[in-house]
Amino acid sequence: MLSTIPLLLSLILLPFLFVGRIAAATVHPPSVSKTRGPESYAITGLHTGVNSQSGARPARRNILDLQNDVPAWSLYIQALTSMQNENETSQLSYFQIAGIHGRPFISWDNVGSTSVSGWGGYCTHSSVLFPSWHRPYLALFEQVLSSHAQSIAKQFSGELRQTYQTAADNLRVPYWDWASFPQVPDSVAQKQITITTPFGTQTVTNPLYQYRFQQFPFNPDIFPSNTFIAADAQTARAPDTPNGESDHNAVNSVLAQGNFAGRAWYALVKSSAYDAFATSAVAGPSVESVHNSIHGDVGQNYGHMSFLEYSAFDPIFWLHHCNVDRLFAMWQATNPNVSLTPLSEPGTFTLPQGSLDTLSTSLTPFTSNSHGQFYNSNTARSMKSFGYTYPEIEDWHQSPTDLKNNVTAQINKMYDPNGIFQQNPQQAAIAPRSTLTAGSATIEWSVGIQVAKFDLDGAYFVVRVFLGEIPVNPQDWAKSPTCVASVPIMPPPHQDEGPYPDTRVHDEFDLTKAIVGAKHNPEDVQSTVPYLKSNLSWRVQLLNGTVVPTEQLPSLRISVQDEEVTMAKAIYELPTYGKKTMHPEITKDKTGGDKGGAAGR
């Protein structure tokens, strides 16, 4: 596989690499081919550090924990640096692995396609495959990172040799739990960092801060000059100009308004069907939807995380997606017998638009052996096969029932927005109400959003919902306390100018916190309905803050609903949801309002 290589060689070879990526999309069962012999890069997972007797596996750790473990942290930083320094033409370089997600739109491991949609990347978004596809992707990254860590550990000598060898054996990629800690960790936001190396304590360039592209200026065939990235030699977060530096204060100010603990909770608790949990293609609070918001909040106007085709180059992408996989694993533990329902595929490089995604659909380009056998949602289901776990999941010595109870308890303690079981109720996402106790019944309100990705002909945009006054300056909308929902819409880039597919995405946000904060009783439906009708509104803007008239989004539907909820009686239980009542009268008279159909669940 090629990447950004010397310009002359690129111009000669790249046209051949793009064959098949610009063909018209066809609808048929996915057909994937390899352009060379049977030898493939096998993603086998990591087996170092696994207890051969108990089966206990090393955990992917919270980065806030890992950074306090000097040997593990020092190895992680050095291994990530080594991986980023690998020549970009190498298949296992940071550049090539990050490029699997989107650009440079060239095949990885020579996995090609017999048909193509307009999207040139392998990643599955707005797809029921979203959680399962990213699992072997993370495992690939982890496997390569570990190989660098193993090499570095062997450079230590004396008493430190065994310490660092053990640390390397147990090293797994860390996660950033943005639900519990909605700000960029300091260890990620610093340009330099102090670690222990085989040559003593040193202050080094922090590989978590950014990735610097080795070939710059970019080859325009794979990084078009009409995109924001053309001005950047390195990744950035929320820069105020296309070639500006990261502004982590701007990131944190928006993250603070995101209610990510509550959103993680609702995805884990309300979405009991796999498809509803997995993808924004299905109505409800999905893990993909909250994942999208993190991308948008970290990247903002010009940052790489805001753009699907570039996001994986930002090192924070891997911390973010590790947490998404963690939430997926926790949901699996609490729903052990639930699986996906086949759903139409929106289209990737190797998966034709309109084909049916099932448990056996290939998660290309990831193979489990050297003979080219691709992972699917069945074979990627278990963390055990990849050799890792998370702190909340010790499945090797618990029955499925015990595991479900213990993981449920962890979900309650970390994310319960009502504060009933949270370890720190002061951080509750919803102001605790004195009437809410274990086993009590109440009413919760939510707003549902539905919109087509290509309503603005491929432009990225954000739908923001407000309860209360809207700031005059659109640049302040994302940070406003009255902004109760922000839905970033990140359509995949297409090779043509249309017609665009009618890809609908959904999200659902809690309104109860805002209702309680406004001194309204959410259980009093008769008074809440007119309050929401008078105070609920929405706006649309491009990533750079430009306001877009709502009329330009013909597919937009905003709906409001209330649901009867019974709180869990014990920490190892989750709440149960009962009768749901739609309230089209709240939004129907506004552009984009609910005309009688639900945009929510």
Side-chain angles (χ1 to χ4, degrees):
M1 170 180 175
L2 299 176
S3 65
T4 46
I5 56 178
L7 181 60
L8 180 59
L9 186 60
S10 298
L11 294 176
I12 295 173
L13 295 180
L14 276 169
F16 296 94
L17 292 172
F18 277 89
V19 171
R21 287 217 171 187
I22 58 175
T26 57
V27 180
H28 56 72
S31 177
V32 180
S33 63
K34 292 179 67 62
T35 57
R36 60 174 169 79
E39 191 70 19
S40 302
Y41 182 79
I43 303 171
T44 59
L46 297 178
H47 304 288
T48 58
V50 178
N51 188 306
S52 59
Q53 294 182 334
S54 67
R57 306 183 301 278
R60 291 177 176 174
R61 298 162 65 180
N62 190 320
I63 191 171
L64 300 180
D65 171 43
L66 186 70
Q67 67 189 21
N68 294 322
D69 183 336
V70 173
W73 180 250
S74 297
L75 271 183
Y76 169 60
I77 293 298
Q78 291 171 90
L80 185 55
T81 298
S82 179
M83 190 174 172
Q84 291 182 0
N85 288 339
E86 186 81 13
N87 191 293
E88 289 180 349
T89 62
S90 168
Q91 177 178 310
L92 299 182
S93 66
Y94 183 95
F95 176 86
Q96 295 279 356
I97 293 175
I100 291 171
H101 196 261
R103 285 199 178 275
F105 292 173
I106 53 180
S107 64
W108 188 84
D109 204 20
N110 289 306
V111 177
S113 173
T114 57
S115 66
V116 169
S117 70
W119 164 233
Y122 289 100
C123 69
T124 55
H125 288 264
S126 301
S127 162
V128 74
L129 304 179
F130 171 78
S132 53
W133 184 90
H134 285 84
R135 179 160 285 174
Y137 190 26
L138 282 166
L140 165 64
F141 184 90
E142 186 169 65
Q143 188 169 310
V144 175
L145 182 82
S146 175
S147 68
H148 287 274
Q150 290 287 343
S151 297
I152 294 166
K154 291 176 172 56
Q155 298 177 32
F156 285 85
S157 59
E159 296 179 354
L160 292 179
R161 179 68 178 268
Q162 186 57 52
T163 298
Y164 278 81
Q165 183 59 58
T166 300
D169 290 345
N170 288 281
L171 183 65
R172 303 294 188 266
V173 292
Y175 63 88
W176 165 38
D177 184 10
W178 30 257
S180 294
F181 190 78
Q183 64 184 67
V184 177
D186 289 342
S187 57
V188 178
Q190 298 170 350
K191 291 185 177 182
Q192 292 189 312
I193 199 164
T194 301
I195 58 172
T196 299
T197 76
F199 313 102
T201 301
Q202 294 184 357
T203 299
V204 300
T205 299
N206 185 4
L208 291 170
Y209 182 79
Q210 63 186 14
Y211 173 69
R212 293 191 64 85
F213 295 90
Q214 296 172 16
Q215 299 293 328
F216 189 81
F218 294 113
N219 180 338
D221 288 333
I222 56 179
F223 291 115
S225 60
N226 62 347
T227 66
F228 80 98
I229 198 172
D232 293 341
Q234 63 282 318
T235 59
R237 300 161 193 152
D240 57 2
T241 62
N243 59 349
E245 292 194 0
S246 294
D247 185 347
H248 289 98
N249 289 330
V251 175
N252 292 336
S253 65
V254 175
L255 288 173
Q257 298 298 323
N259 185 23
F260 290 112
R263 294 188 66 188
W265 164 266
Y266 283 117
L268 289 166
V269 171
K270 295 182 74 172
S271 301
S272 57
Y274 182 97
D275 292 19
F277 169 81
T279 177
S280 61
V282 176
S286 68
V287 71
E288 183 184 14
S289 294
V290 63
H291 142 276
N292 290 345
S293 292
I294 294 295
H295 271 275
D297 287 356
V298 172
Q300 295 185 34
N301 294 7
Y302 304 103
H304 292 67
M305 279 285 281
S306 290
F307 299 85
L308 294 180
E309 65 269 40
Y310 300 110
S311 60
F313 291 110
D314 188 335
I316 205 172
F317 171 95
W318 304 98
L319 304 175
H320 168 40
H321 270 275
C322 191
N323 194 51
V324 172
D325 183 74
R326 168 176 164 268
L327 295 175
F328 176 35
M330 294 170 73
W331 186 91
Q332 287 179 302
T334 57
N335 298 272
N337 300 315
V338 182
S339 189
L340 69 82
T341 299
L343 197 67
S344 178
E345 168 60 43
T348 71
F349 172 30
T350 49
L351 300 177
Q353 180 185 333
S355 59
L356 195 64
D357 288 333
T358 69
L359 284 169
S360 59
T361 299
S362 296
L363 304 177
T364 50
F366 310 122
T367 58
S368 59
N369 56 41
S370 61
H371 302 295
Q373 183 174 355
F374 293 110
Y375 279 101
N376 59 41
S377 294
N378 260 329
T379 55
R381 179 180 179 85
S382 173
M383 296 182 294
K384 181 179 179 180
S385 61
F386 296 109
Y388 71 92
T389 189
Y390 292 101
E392 299 84 6
I393 304 173
E394 297 182 356
D395 54 11
W396 50 86
H397 64 77
Q398 300 177 27
S399 68
T401 298
D402 288 339
L403 179 65
K404 178 179 180 178
N405 290 341
N406 289 331
V407 172
T408 297
Q410 293 294 329
I411 292 171
N412 277 318
K413 286 190 291 185
M414 289 185 293
Y415 304 133
D416 174 22
N418 298 298
I420 296 174
F421 298 113
Q422 264 204 359
Q423 291 177 322
N424 186 359
Q426 285 72 32
Q427 295 181 350
I430 296 176
R433 288 170 275 164
S434 59
T435 56
L436 291 185
T437 58
S440 64
T442 187
I443 291 178
E444 290 182 352
W445 293 79
S446 59
V447 58
I449 298 97
Q450 172 188 285
V451 70
K453 279 191 171 185
F454 290 96
D455 262 1
L456 296 182
D457 295 334
Y460 285 48
F461 60 95
V462 185
V463 178
R464 303 197 193 278
V465 180
F466 299 86
L467 191 58
E469 185 176 352
I470 301 176
V472 175
N473 186 351
Q475 299 293 343
D476 295 332
W477 286 358
K479 299 176 288 186
S480 172
T482 63
C483 182
V484 295
S486 289
V487 184
I489 306 301
M490 301 177 287
H494 272 233
Q495 303 286 3
D496 51 45
E497 297 181 356
Y500 297 108
D502 185 15
T503 304
R504 303 293 175 103
V505 291
H506 308 258
D507 210 341
E508 184 176 302
F509 291 79
D510 170 72
L511 287 177
T512 317
K513 175 185 177 181
I515 293 171
V516 172
K519 310 301 182 184
H520 282 266
N521 178 7
E523 298 183 19
D524 185 351
V525 176
Q526 296 303 314
S527 67
T528 301
V529 168
Y531 167 72
L532 293 177
K533 187 174 182 179
S534 298
N535 292 278
L536 191 72
S537 57
W538 47 91
R539 297 290 187 272
V540 180
Q541 62 185 150
L542 302 179
L543 288 185
N544 64 8
T546 301
V547 178
V548 177
T550 308
E551 291 79 7
Q552 293 187 18
L553 274 65
S555 69
L556 181 64
R557 293 294 179 269
I558 307 293
S559 64
V560 176
Q561 65 184 19
D562 75 64
E563 292 180 86
E564 296 178 354
V565 187
T566 301
M567 298 293 108
K569 296 179 181 179
I571 195 171
Y572 53 83
E573 297 178 353
L574 292 175
T576 56
Y577 284 81
K579 180 182 178 182
K580 176 173 62 178
T581 303
M582 302 303 302
H583 293 280
E585 69 273 22
I586 293 175
T587 64
K588 68 177 183 178
D589 295 329
K590 301 176 183 178
T591 303
D594 182 6
K595 309 306 180 186
R601 293 167 64 245

